[in-house]
């Protein structure tokens, strides 16, 4: 970005996003080989600033730092599972970057985060970005969703158990061709020719 950048405002906006989206604050510790998810407390600051004004070839150094951030692994057990940084080349030239682990974000969510961040930086109401403490937490939502699926599976199992009661478990279904008692594993190969026009249509459909 070119022009002055309010780093304190950017950091505050990012903190508000992390508070609002609890998924960003999740960690994935493992206990006795069983993974789980836990939400960490809201952070006070999340932005790392690198001053490159006195660095020779600042553009190359900025590229190196950005590549390093993207290549570093994440500590799933302790977090955080995000990184936000600014490379300050000079007071009028900044490079902002972020990397978030795919376990807590997807492409659609990334677009939502970007739009909310831009809205906040352009003067949007921060009350629109921060949920109240009474709002549903991500872990609670996931737990309810999993519980509902479990209840649905139990109901399905009970229905089909009752519906199929007394049915012979061995189905004698007619086949198109006689089947040997012992499978031989043999097979045949059939070659067909497809004309050029149909080939082009198939390739176009697949692309």
């Amino acid at each position: 970005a070119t022009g002055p950048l309010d780093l304190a405002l950017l950091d505050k906006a990012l903190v508000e996003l992390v508070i609002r989206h609890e998924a960003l604050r999740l960690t994935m510790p493992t206990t006795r080989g069983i993974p789980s998810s836990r939400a960490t407390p809201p952070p006070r600051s999340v932005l790392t600033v690198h001053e490159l004004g006195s660095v020779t070839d600042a553009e190359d150094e900025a590229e190196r730092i950005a590549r390093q951030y993207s290549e570093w692994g994440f500590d799933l057990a302790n977090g955080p599972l995000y990184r936000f940084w600014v490379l300050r080349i000079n007071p009028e030239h900044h490079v902002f970057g972020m990397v978030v682990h795919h376990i807590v974000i997807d492409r659609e969510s990334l677009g939502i985060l970007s739009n909310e961040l831009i809205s906040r930086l352009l003067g949007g109401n921060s009350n629109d970005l921060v949920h109240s403490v009474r709002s549903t937490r991500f872990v609670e939502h996931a737990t309810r969703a999993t519980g509902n699926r479990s209840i649905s599976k139990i109901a399905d199992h009970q229905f089909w158990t009752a519906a199929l009661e007394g049915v012979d478990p061995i189905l004698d279904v007619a086949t198109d061709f006689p089947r040997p008692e012992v499978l031989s594993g043999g097979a045949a190969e059939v070659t067909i020719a497809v004309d050029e026009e149909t080939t082009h249509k198939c390739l176009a459909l697949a692309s």
Side-chain angles (χ1 to χ4, degrees), residues 20-163:
R20 169 178 169 81
H21 299 284
E22 189 185 50
L24 295 176
R25 294 187 282 111
L26 291 181
T27 58
M28 309 292 169
T30 301
T31 304
R32 297 179 181 177
I34 301 176
S36 61
S37 61
R38 297 177 183 174
T40 58
R44 294 185 177 182
S45 177
V46 297
L47 184 64
T48 301
V49 179
H50 297 267
E51 295 285 353
L52 303 181
S54 60
V55 177
T56 305
D57 297 328
E59 296 283 354
D60 292 339
E61 179 65 8
E63 183 177 348
R64 184 193 68 80
I65 293 175
R67 183 170 59 252
Q68 189 177 48
Y69 269 112
S70 64
E71 292 175 351
W72 279 342
F74 286 94
D75 184 349
L76 292 177
N78 299 302
L81 303 185
Y82 56 80
R83 300 187 186 107
F84 304 108
W85 70 91
V86 165
L87 309 178
R88 185 182 174 93
I89 298 175
N90 60 57
E92 298 292 323
H93 187 184
H94 303 79
V95 177
F96 170 71
M98 67 177 179
V99 177
V100 185
H101 197 289
H102 190 61
I103 201 171
V104 296
I105 198 172
D106 56 17
R107 183 176 181 180
E108 188 70 21
S109 301
L110 184 60
I112 294 174
L113 289 182
S114 300
N115 290 336
E116 290 186 1
L117 179 60
I118 292 172
S119 174
R120 179 67 182 94
L121 294 176
L122 293 179
N125 186 352
S126 62
N127 291 331
D128 295 335
L129 300 182
V130 183
H131 278 165
S132 70
V133 295
R134 296 187 300 273
S135 60
T136 302
R137 298 170 61 239
F138 174 80
V139 174
E140 294 171 349
H141 171 76
T143 300
R144 281 207 302 268
T146 303
N148 290 339
R149 285 197 297 270
S150 298
I151 294 173
S152 177
K153 288 181 179 179
I154 293 174
D156 287 344
H157 183 268
Q158 292 175 340
F159 170 81
W160 288 110
T161 299

